[in-house]
Amino acid sequence: MEAKQQKARHRRRKVGLSIGIPVAVAAAAGMAYGTDLGVFGEDAQRSASAATVAPAWADDVADGFASVNSQGQNGTYGGRDGKTVTVKTLADLEKYATAPEPYVIVVAGTINMNPKGKEIKVASDKTIVGSGTSGQIVGGGFFLGQGVHNVIIRNLTIRDSYAGEWNDKDNDFDAIQMDGAHHVWIDHNDLRHMADGLIDSRKDTTNVTVSWNKLSDNNKTFGIGWTENTTADLTIHHNWFRETEQRNPSTDNVAHAHLYNNYLQDVPNTDITTSYGNYARGKTKMVLENSVFEGLKNPVTKDSTAAVVQRGNVFSGTSGRNESGGTAFDPKSFYKYTLDKAADVPALLKSGAGPRTSIGTTATASTKASAAATTLTVAKDGSGQYKSVQAAVNAVPANNTSRVVISIKPGTYRELVKVPRDKPHVTFQGTGASRKDTVIVFNNAAGTPKPDGSGNYGTSGSATVAVEADDFQARNLTIDNDFDEAKNQSLNGHQAVALRTAADKIFLDGVIVTGDQDTLLLDTQAKDKLGRVYVSNSYIVGNVDFIFGRASAVINKSVITLKKRWNGDSAGYVTAPSTAANRKGILIANSTVNGDVSASSFHLGRPWHAGGDAALDPQTTVRNTSLSSAIKSAPWTDMSGFSWKDDRFAEYKNTGPGSGSASGDRPQLSDAQAADQEIGDWLGDWKPSAS
């Protein structure tokens, strides 16, 4: 932005539970980051006899203990390095799941296990993922044996191996059983009504993360242990246990059991009564945080030999044992995580646990929005309704009240796109296997003359894509400004925006936004208007002030890639907030800042007092983020006569060679201050969910 323009007790249930509730993106899982922009997991070869496009989020990697480097395995990423195949039959599912090669296996229909209770023996390096809510395994499940590792099971419904006996001693028909496995991620599944466990993690199985699942209508729900050793590490977060009698979970001899943001619900006057909730047995050490227990008997139970540390949990209508005591461990010494507020957990999980509803997205529409959505298809080759993105936007009715999804087929769309204020609820959805397959690009700069002779575009007018309508979403595509500074040195004004937003509730998920100077302008409709932006699982590329504006913006679980300038120099600024005094500015959290630039050459930010307005109070907070050596040891700097020390710039628990300890040149938030600078504090009553 240099020379910125103006700038149980059980009786057989009669009615089954509802399924397929979509994801709340507030806790969307992490993505597979490369060390530079050119490294994307989804660019792995995707061809086989049954090959098809995998979900854009099929390359996500696990969080929690499944992300920890141990047992000779660095994190859990499943089959992302192999081919993607779609299966609709038991024979094909078993063929690829048991193969020695890595595979992403998309289950695109209901597969009935034969014989009933069959558990497919999954081999290492596999992702088994449902195609929307159509991926269902009925009457059986999966088995991960000794040494099996790097397995992801996501977005599936696994149900109905129940054999008529509630406390079944004869049939071991689990949904997912693990005996001696490691590095397993079980995420966004609907597991219910099985003859034995929904999840059994046994015989020293370790480095497991279980997240965003719906577990219901079952007796022995989630058992962990069956070992005398105390070596296992498990993370269990954002799961909805509803009408499950026991093992919720039962955690026996687990070295590190981290349970957070789970919702355990026993609904009154139903056929199942929960006998206990979270149980720490044997020598287990358990940390239990910000979970909600509703209507349960004995919500938290521990053996005398176990340790349970409770923090921030909510108990409503519970009775019986609620225990804690002993010394456990600090989960943050193993991995990063962010807690949701306990009060928000029931709503988050009711709207977010279980399978996502559509394939090819990093997250999916709510049931209501999806049912009401209109889809307009764009394809350069004429196979869609429109050949340009702008033509599809023009077709959206003014003042529309329901979601319009503009489905954009792979291709490069060289055009300017504007979503005007009177066209809210629009989604841009790239349909390629990679977010790099669908590209919207143009090359205007601030100094580029307008074709009508009315002057230059200016910084904000240079945007390739301009969004002025509320409730806009974009995913699985690239927005680029490829203005060539080297060839246009005589031009006065090299600011070249790829994406400008000037509205509220903007959700960018799984996108690339790339340019040089002033890549991403996050603005509001007016100085007194609120404009919230949530960016997740994305890449942002640039060099000078390339994340800037007055919006209240969150960049979460993303990669910020620093780029050399047109002449090869390494020098720049990541953020340039222009925040009003009573607003939140820019929050970068749980992300990575890197790039092929020189060490100590980039500032994290500087204060942009747009128009010289001294009343502004620019804010950037960078927290829980990995910083490369490119970041200066004094990461903030002044701008246009305004000192950064008079505004709001701070860090919290960043890591990497570019991080540093607190000093006068490097403010660090205290734990108490950081508690007031969480993602939820930026977004307020808005809970982003994909549509």
Side-chain angles (χ1 to χ4, degrees), residues 14 26 116 153 163 202 216 254 385 392-393 428 558 642 649 679 690:
K14 299 180 177 65
K116 186 172 185 177
I153 300 174
R202 318 188 322 168
S216 63
V254 173
Q385 297 163 277
V393 172
F428 285 3
S558 294
F642 290 93
F649 293 89
I679 291 172

Side-chain angles (χ1 to χ4, degrees), residues 454-502:
S454 61
N456 299 337
Y457 279 100
T459 299
S460 63
S462 69
T464 299
V465 175
V467 177
E468 298 178 353
D470 290 345
D471 195 20
F472 172 85
Q473 303 190 4
R475 61 183 52 86
N476 198 40
L477 51 77
T478 295
I479 299 173
D480 183 16
N481 190 317
D482 64 352
F483 171 71
D484 191 333
E485 291 187 76
K487 293 182 179 179
N488 290 276
Q489 281 299 292
S490 62
L491 200 68
N492 182 18
H494 287 190
Q495 300 85 4
V497 176
L499 173 62
R500 174 175 68 90
T501 69

Side-chain angles (χ1 to χ4, degrees), residues 467-634:
V467 177
E468 298 178 353
D470 290 345
D471 195 20
F472 172 85
Q473 303 190 4
R475 61 183 52 86
N476 198 40
L477 51 77
T478 295
I479 299 173
D480 183 16
N481 190 317
D482 64 352
F483 171 71
D484 191 333
E485 291 187 76
K487 293 182 179 179
N488 290 276
Q489 281 299 292
S490 62
L491 200 68
N492 182 18
H494 287 190
Q495 300 85 4
V497 176
L499 173 62
R500 174 175 68 90
T501 69
D504 190 29
K505 299 181 180 178
I506 304 296
F507 181 26
L508 310 174
D509 190 21
V511 301
I512 302 169
V513 185
T514 181
D516 289 324
Q517 189 177 162
D518 291 23
T519 301
L520 180 58
L521 171 51
L522 304 173
D523 212 346
T524 66
Q525 288 184 0
K527 287 183 179 181
D528 61 344
K529 295 288 188 181
L530 178 63
R532 290 166 292 181
V533 181
Y534 182 69
V535 183
S536 67
N537 303 325
S538 294
Y539 286 83
I540 306 168
V541 185
N543 47 39
V544 175
D545 302 330
F546 63 98
I547 303 172
F548 71 108
R550 65 187 176 209
S552 299
V554 175
I555 316 294
N556 186 38
K557 293 183 178 178
S558 294
V559 174
I560 297 169
T561 300
L562 311 176
K563 185 178 180 181
K564 290 181 180 178
R565 303 176 74 168
W566 67 271
N567 59 0
D569 288 349
S570 293
Y573 316 87
V574 177
T575 68
S578 187
T579 322
N582 60 342
R583 301 281 190 198
K584 296 289 189 182
I586 296 171
L587 171 64
I588 298 171
N590 311 305
S591 294
T592 297
V593 179
N594 61 20
D596 184 17
V597 296
S598 300
S600 302
S601 60
F602 270 74
H603 288 93
L604 285 175
R606 55 182 182 170
W608 178 31
H609 285 257
D613 187 351
L616 298 177
D617 191 13
Q619 179 184 31
T620 295
T621 296
V622 181
R623 60 175 296 164
N624 307 109
T625 288
S626 175
L627 305 178
S628 78
S629 61
I631 300 303
K632 291 176 177 286
S633 58

Side-chain angles (χ1 to χ4, degrees), residues 19 87-91 93 106-113 130-140 156-160 192:
I19 65 169
V87 300
K88 297 183 179 179
T89 67
L90 175 57
L93 175 59
V106 181
V107 181
T110 298
I111 294 177
N112 291 287
M113 291 298 193
S131 173
T133 56
S134 68
Q136 301 205 23
I137 309 299
V138 179
L156 291 167
T157 295
I158 308 176
R159 59 180 175 86
D160 294 330
R192 53 189 166 95

Side-chain angles (χ1 to χ4, degrees), residues 16-17 97 197 278 323 337 356 367 443 448 452 481 493 530 554 586 613 626 647 687-688:
L17 296 172
N278 297 161
E323 299 170 336
Y337 68 101
R356 307 176 185 191
T367 303
N443 61 348
T448 302
D452 61 5
N481 190 317
L530 178 63
V554 175
I586 296 171
D613 187 351
S626 175
D647 295 311
K687 306 297 181 186

Side-chain angles (χ1 to χ4, degrees), residues 85 87 89-105 113 118-128 141-145 148 151:
V85 295
V87 300
T89 67
L90 175 57
D92 281 343
L93 175 59
E94 190 163 19
K95 171 185 174 182
Y96 291 112
T98 60
E101 304 88 1
Y103 280 105
V104 174
I105 304 165
M113 291 298 193
K118 179 182 181 69
E119 294 177 6
I120 292 175
K121 294 181 179 180
V122 180
S124 299
D125 304 318
K126 300 295 183 295
T127 296
I128 306 174
F142 300 103
F143 176 82
L144 283 63
V148 171
V151 173

